[in-house]
């Protein structure tokens, strides 16, 4: 099947091998199917010295090293176009969430600049912000050793929203954090065969065939789970007293 890819994603890193999992699973298949294209670029190829240096000591002192702007400039100049979105994963960025994933899944070109060490010289984001849209984003309140694993997380969250990547559209609608009937609720418990496993059964209602009742039950379970696990997401919610089903 030949078609124009829906999205082009370029990822720049000093560890291109870190991005190898992108050839697996749904993301790998979507590339094979021509739905998206992913290019991985080795930042060190833009270094000019014998040691392929990409970092230096921070001005003003302090621990660790900072990535120098020159290799970033050379690489980004060759990858960016005027309608690219340049994404810089960093613990000091704005929070990445499902809403951001949905927005970015509609873009034509995403470029991830994966920093290591103490980060990339700030002039890189300052310079490119004058030329393209730039987003500095954090995937959660913890510190990773580099942007690569954050880029993997974001690429998966974004690309599974593209039509044709996930087989069953309903599974996207029902996801926790998705904008469907279960908007802002965590997914409730799920069951499959066997009906009895190590003495544990399946809620009767799921075997009843009454889809209206099943829907209502799932909604209630989702509400309970959200109130318990994530009271910050629950409408009006502190955790309910009493047991949560699962
Ligand atoms: N780089 C290091 N930690 C990060 C985080 N939490 N999110 C995004 N990029 C990061």
């Amino acid at each position: 099947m030949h078609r124009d890819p829906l999205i082009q994603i370029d990822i720049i890193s000093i560890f291109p091998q870190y991005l190898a999992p992108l050839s697996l699973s749904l993301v790998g298949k979507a590339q094979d199917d021509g739905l998206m294209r992913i290019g991985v670029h080795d930042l060190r190829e833009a270094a000019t010295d014998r040691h392929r240096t990409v970092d230096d000591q921070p001005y003003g002192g302090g621990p660790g090293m900072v990535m120098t702007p020159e290799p970033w400039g050379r690489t980004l100049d060759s990858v960016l176009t005027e309608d690219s979105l340049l994404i810089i994963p960093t613990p000091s960025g704005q929070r990445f969430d499902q809403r951001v994933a949905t927005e970015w899944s509609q873009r034509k070109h995403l470029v991830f600049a994966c920093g290591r060490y103490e980060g990339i010289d700030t002039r890189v984001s300052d310079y490119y912000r004058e030329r393209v849209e730039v987003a500095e984003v954090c995937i959660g309140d913890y510190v990773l050793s580099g942007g690569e694993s954050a880029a993997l997380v974001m690429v998966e969250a974004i690309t599974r929203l593209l039509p044709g990547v996930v087989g069953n559209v309903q599974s996207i609608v029902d996801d926790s954090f998705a904008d469907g009937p279960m908007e802002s609720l965590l997914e409730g418990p799920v069951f499959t065969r066997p009906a009895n496993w190590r003495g544990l059964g399946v809620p009767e209602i799921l075997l009843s065939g009454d889809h209206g009742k099943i829907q209502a039950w799932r909604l209630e379970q989702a509400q309970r789970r959200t109130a318990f696990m994530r009271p910050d997401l629950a409408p009006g919610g502190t955790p309910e007293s009493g047991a949560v089903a699962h």
Side-chain angles (χ1 to χ4, degrees):
M1 174 175 39
H2 180 78
R3 56 161 107 187
D4 281 342
L6 299 167
I7 193 168
Q8 165 82 35
I9 297 175
D10 287 284
I11 307 176
I12 306 162
S13 164
I14 57 167
F15 294 124
Q17 280 305 313
Y18 213 115
L19 288 313
L22 292 171
S23 64
L24 304 174
S25 188
L26 293 177
V27 177
K29 181 166 184 306
Q31 289 176 83
D32 294 343
D33 291 347
L35 292 174
M36 64 172 116
R37 259 201 317 246
I38 301 184
V40 176
H41 309 264
D42 185 354
L43 181 73
R44 285 196 198 277
E45 287 188 358
T48 48
D49 65 318
R50 204 158 57 84
H51 301 290
R52 308 215 300 164
T53 309
V54 292
D55 61 337
D56 206 335
Q57 290 164 348
Y59 276 124
M65 301 290 269
V66 174
M67 296 189 105
T68 58
E70 294 97 335
W72 280 109
R74 282 189 283 273
T75 309
L76 287 168
D77 285 349
S78 72
V79 170
L80 291 170
T81 67
E82 60 185 19
D83 41 38
S84 310
L85 172 64
L86 173 58
I87 300 165
I88 306 177
T90 165
S92 50
Q94 290 178 321
R95 180 59 73 82
F96 175 82
D97 61 14
Q98 192 67 24
R99 185 190 56 77
V100 177
T102 306
E103 220 176 283
W104 291 357
S105 70
Q106 278 138 38
R107 303 282 306 217
K108 286 270 155 262
H109 188 206
L110 306 177
V111 177
F112 287 88
C114 302
R116 286 254 144 195
Y117 319 116
E118 294 301 310
I120 305 170
D121 187 309
T122 301
R123 289 169 294 180
V124 173
S125 57
D126 290 346
Y127 177 88
Y128 286 101
R129 198 170 278 116
E130 300 286 308
R131 288 153 181 86
V132 295
E133 220 179 305
V134 177
E136 294 181 89
V137 279
C138 168
I139 62 163
D141 290 342
Y142 37 78
V143 179
L144 304 165
S145 301
E148 289 80 2
S149 47
L152 286 173
V153 166
M154 290 188 267
V155 167
E156 184 160 318
I158 294 162
T159 56
R160 66 191 296 287
L161 299 173
L162 299 173
V165 172
V166 172
N168 181 351
V169 172
Q170 195 61 35
S171 73
I172 294 179
V173 173
D174 283 350
D175 279 343
S176 301
F177 308 117
D179 259 4
M182 311 275 259
E183 185 178 8
S184 300
L185 293 177
L186 303 184
E187 266 190 88
V190 293
F191 301 87
T192 185
R193 280 187 281 243
N196 186 316
W197 180 73
R198 299 190 177 182
L200 300 172
V202 172
E204 272 308 315
I205 200 156
L206 297 179
L207 309 174
S208 70
D210 184 334
H211 294 292
K213 281 199 178 138
I214 292 172
Q215 274 309 96
W217 182 86
R218 285 190 170 143
L219 178 60
E220 190 216 319
Q221 293 293 317
Q223 287 164 335
R224 284 220 239 173
R225 187 174 175 90
T226 307
F228 186 76
M229 294 287 186
R230 293 289 303 276
D232 57 310
L233 293 178
T238 44
E240 279 177 27
S241 56
V244 163
H246 291 274

